C-alpha cells in the first residue's frame, strides 16, 4: 500500500521459490534467491514475516541480518494494517502502544487486539485480520539477529 512490490512481475523461475497461496505469491521462501532476483534494485525494505505465529514459532526462528520489528495486524486480504491504516479503533488499542514503526511489540498484546477487534467491530472488514511477526533486513547481512520480545529468552532467530 505504501510502496510498490519488488519484483513487480513474477517470472517462471520465481514459482520455485515463492509462496503458493492467495495474496502471498510475491512472498519468497529463499532470501538468497530473492536477493539475486532484485540485485539491481536499491532502497528496499526486505521483510521476513510469520503469519499467525505461535510463541514456539518465534522462539525457534533465527534470522541473521534481520532485526525484529514487531507485530502488525493486517486484514485477511493482506492489504491494510488495522493498526495504522484504519484511523484507529476506539476501545481496542491506543496509538501510544505502537512502536515508532507502527507495530505492537508483544505477541500476547497483538492477539488481544486481534480478538477485541473481531468482537467489537464485527462489521468492519479490516477488523478480520491476521497477526504478522515482522523482521526487517539490515545491511550488511552479517549483522547479529535480535531476539523477539516474549519468545524464549534462550532462543534466537535462525535462517
Amino acid at each position: 500500500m505504501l510502496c510498490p512490490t519488488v519484483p513487480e512481475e513474477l517470472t517462471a523461475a520465481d514459482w520455485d521459490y515463492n509462496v503458493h497461496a492467495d495474496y502471498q505469491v510475491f512472498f519468497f521462501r529463499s532470501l538468497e534467491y530473492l536477493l539475486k532476483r532484485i540485485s539491481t534494485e536499491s532502497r528496499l525494505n526486505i521483510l521476513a514475516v510469520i503469519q499467525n505465529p505461535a510463541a514456539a514459532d518465534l522462539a525457534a526462528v533465527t534470522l541473521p541480518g534481520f532485526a525484529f520489528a514487531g507485530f502488525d495486524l493486517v486484514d485477511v486480504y493482506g492489504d491494510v494494517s488495522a493498526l495504522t491504516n484504519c484511523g484507529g479503533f476506539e476501545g481496542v488499542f491506543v496509538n501510544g502502544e505502537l512502536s515508532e514503526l507502527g507495530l505492537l511489540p508483544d505477541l500476547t498484546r497483538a492477539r488481544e487486539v486481534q480478538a477485541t477487534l473481531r468482537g467489537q467491530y464485527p462489521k468492519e472488514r479490516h477488523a478480520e485480520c491476521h497477526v504478522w511477526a515482522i523482521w526487517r533486513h539490515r545491511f550488511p547481512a552479517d549483522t547479529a539477529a535480535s531476539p523477539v520480545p516474549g519468545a524464549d529468552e534462550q532462543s534466537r532467530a535462525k535462517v
Side-chain angles (χ1 to χ4, degrees):
M1 182 174 211
L2 298 175
C3 57
T5 299
V6 175
E8 290 184 30
E9 306 237 348
L10 295 174
T11 66
D14 290 341
W15 290 92
D16 291 333
Y17 301 95
N18 70 336
V19 175
H20 300 172
D22 290 339
Y23 313 111
Q24 296 178 19
V25 295
F26 283 92
F27 290 28
F28 289 81
R29 295 176 279 108
S30 170
L31 178 61
E32 180 180 0
Y33 175 80
L34 180 61
L35 290 175
K36 286 178 186 174
R37 175 77 164 80
I38 61 173
S39 64
T40 60
E41 301 289 339
S42 62
R43 298 180 44 116
L44 298 174
N45 271 316
I46 298 174
L47 305 177
V49 298
I50 299 176
Q51 181 182 1
N52 297 320
D57 297 329
L58 300 174
V61 170
T62 56
L63 297 168
F66 284 79
F68 181 71
F71 299 94
D72 201 352
L73 287 109
V74 179
D75 70 17
V76 294
Y77 307 105
D79 294 329
V80 175
S81 168
L83 299 178
T84 59
N85 298 124
C86 293
F89 288 98
E90 189 174 331
V92 179
F93 70 93
V94 296
N95 288 340
E97 292 182 75
L98 305 180
S99 71
E100 65 277 357
L101 298 174
L103 303 171
L104 291 166
D106 180 76
L107 178 58
T108 301
R109 181 64 180 133
R111 287 186 183 149
E112 289 170 356
V113 170
Q114 178 190 39
T116 306
L117 276 172
R118 289 177 177 164
Q120 288 189 13
Y121 293 90
K123 294 183 181 182
E124 168 57 52
R125 66 176 239 147
H126 301 304
E128 181 67 27
C129 53
H130 295 293
V131 172
W132 289 87
I134 301 174
W135 292 261
R136 197 169 166 191
H137 191 258
R138 298 182 296 196
F139 295 95
D142 61 350
T143 307
S146 63
V148 178
D152 179 350
E153 290 303 316
Q154 295 178 346
S155 301
R156 299 292 181 254
K158 299 179 192 174
V159 176

